Amino acid sequence: MRKLNFFLMMIPLAALAQTKGTNPISVQNLNAGLVLNNNTQTVTLTMVGPSDRWMAIQYGQFSGGMEEGSDVAYFNGTTLVDARHNGIGTTPSADAENNWTVTQNTVSSGFRTLVATRPFNSPDATDYDFNYDDTTIGIAIARGNTASFNLAYHGAANKTVNTALGFTNLGVSVNEKQMIEIFPNPCQGFFTVKSAAELTEVSVYNLSGSKITSVKPSNSTQEIQVSDLSVGVYLVELKSDNQTEWKKIIVE
């Protein structure tokens, strides 16, 4: 991989951190995104997808999926593997050093949530370097066509590529005392949002990025009805005057 200068997802942001995240990208119940923290110079990757198969993300500057030499990370059933593509039809090669640190690997209702972090400038000279000033980034995601953690052809329906995915500024986060809670999760019929900060809007999106419902909370605790939604994973956008935060909700 060449050395290059480089939810928005549903992870809590560090206190007083300038952050921005990629707009949603998803395919076949796989959702992935990157959040860049300019203060700590770290990138956080979040992937949510079926728990019984491999899932992968390619990131950086490239012209197409599986481009030879491009940076990629894939979940092999145990951990996130830092690797590089060798071209279409060839298995990616694991890097000598894994610079992604997995901070969350949880399974609920058949979906895995995987969260990992990495410095903008990896010590591996072959890794892609992230640049907070960039306005777009290329991302490609894919998942196994069958229930297996052995890398194999994913099929055309199980991958998507965006070579210029934009960012959303997430602003300056609030103090940890103002963290937002969503419960129960998984939920049936409704979930409750509780926040120490005053929320101006709570919106629910599907994994394709389409807004399903939006509520303007009347107080610090707001019940959101989801009884009409199909079983699956959704994204919740929580807005206040000075920040936007994203969380995942599972509807059973």
Side-chain angles (χ1 to χ4, degrees):
M1 291 167 287
R2 298 179 298 277
K3 191 76 168 177
L4 300 173
N5 289 322
F6 185 50
F7 202 183
L8 171 67
M9 291 290 290
M10 49 279 175
I11 59 174
L13 309 178
L16 300 180
Q18 186 181 6
T19 56
K20 66 180 183 180
T22 56
N23 292 322
I25 183 169
S26 62
V27 64
Q28 295 286 51
N29 290 325
L30 172 64
N31 183 278
L34 301 169
V35 171
L36 276 57
N37 186 318
N38 198 36
N39 283 18
T40 62
Q41 291 287 289
T42 57
V43 56
T44 298
L45 161 66
T46 301
M47 289 197 293
V48 181
S51 61
D52 61 356
R53 64 199 65 198
W54 63 265
M55 49 187 178
I57 181 170
Q58 174 185 337
Y59 45 87
Q61 296 174 349
F62 49 82
S63 59
M66 296 189 71
E67 184 175 295
E68 184 175 1
S70 57
D71 217 345
V72 63
Y74 65 90
F75 181 72
N76 65 357
T78 303
T79 190
L80 188 69
V81 179
D82 193 356
R84 65 185 180 277
H85 271 311
N86 292 313
I88 296 175
T90 305
T91 303
S93 298
D95 291 352
E97 180 180 359
N98 193 335
N99 292 292
W100 285 103
T101 300
V102 175
T103 59
Q104 180 181 347
N105 178 9
T106 56
V107 174
S108 178
S109 300
F111 286 91
R112 184 183 306 277
T113 298
L114 190 72
V115 181
T117 62
R118 205 208 79 178
F120 280 2
N121 299 320
S122 164
D124 186 343
T126 66
D127 276 348
Y128 179 82
D129 281 352
F130 295 87
N131 182 353
Y132 191 84
D133 291 332
D134 285 348
T135 57
T136 64
I137 185 174
I139 288 184
I141 59 174
R143 39 150 278 191
N145 190 39
T146 59
S148 173
F149 292 104
N150 296 320
L151 291 179
Y153 179 53
H154 43 67
N158 296 313
K159 64 96 174 181
T160 187
V161 180
N162 189 325
T163 59
L165 191 64
F167 288 95
T168 295
N169 289 323
L170 303 179
V172 178
S173 71
V174 296
N175 187 276
E176 289 182 355
K177 293 181 179 179
Q178 296 177 314
M179 294 295 289
I180 301 168
E181 298 178 76
I182 290 183
F183 58 90
N185 192 8
C187 68
Q188 294 181 341
F190 72 94
F191 65 87
T192 300
V193 176
K194 183 178 180 181
S195 174
E198 183 178 352
L199 296 177
T200 57
E201 187 175 6
V202 177
S203 302
V204 179
Y205 292 77
N206 61 25
L207 293 185
S208 297
S210 298
K211 183 185 290 188
I212 298 171
T213 186
S214 185
V215 175
K216 296 186 182 300
S218 56
N219 50 55
S220 61
T221 302
Q222 178 70 46
E223 186 176 287
I224 309 296
Q225 293 293 325
V226 291
S227 56
D228 293 335
L229 298 186
S230 301
V231 172
V233 179
Y234 297 85
L235 302 180
V236 182
E237 181 187 35
L238 305 118
K239 290 184 177 180
S240 63
D241 289 336
N242 64 348
Q243 75 161 353
T244 297
E245 185 170 335
W246 291 81
K247 290 184 178 290
K248 177 191 71 173
I249 188 73
I250 297 173
V251 177
E252 292 185 331

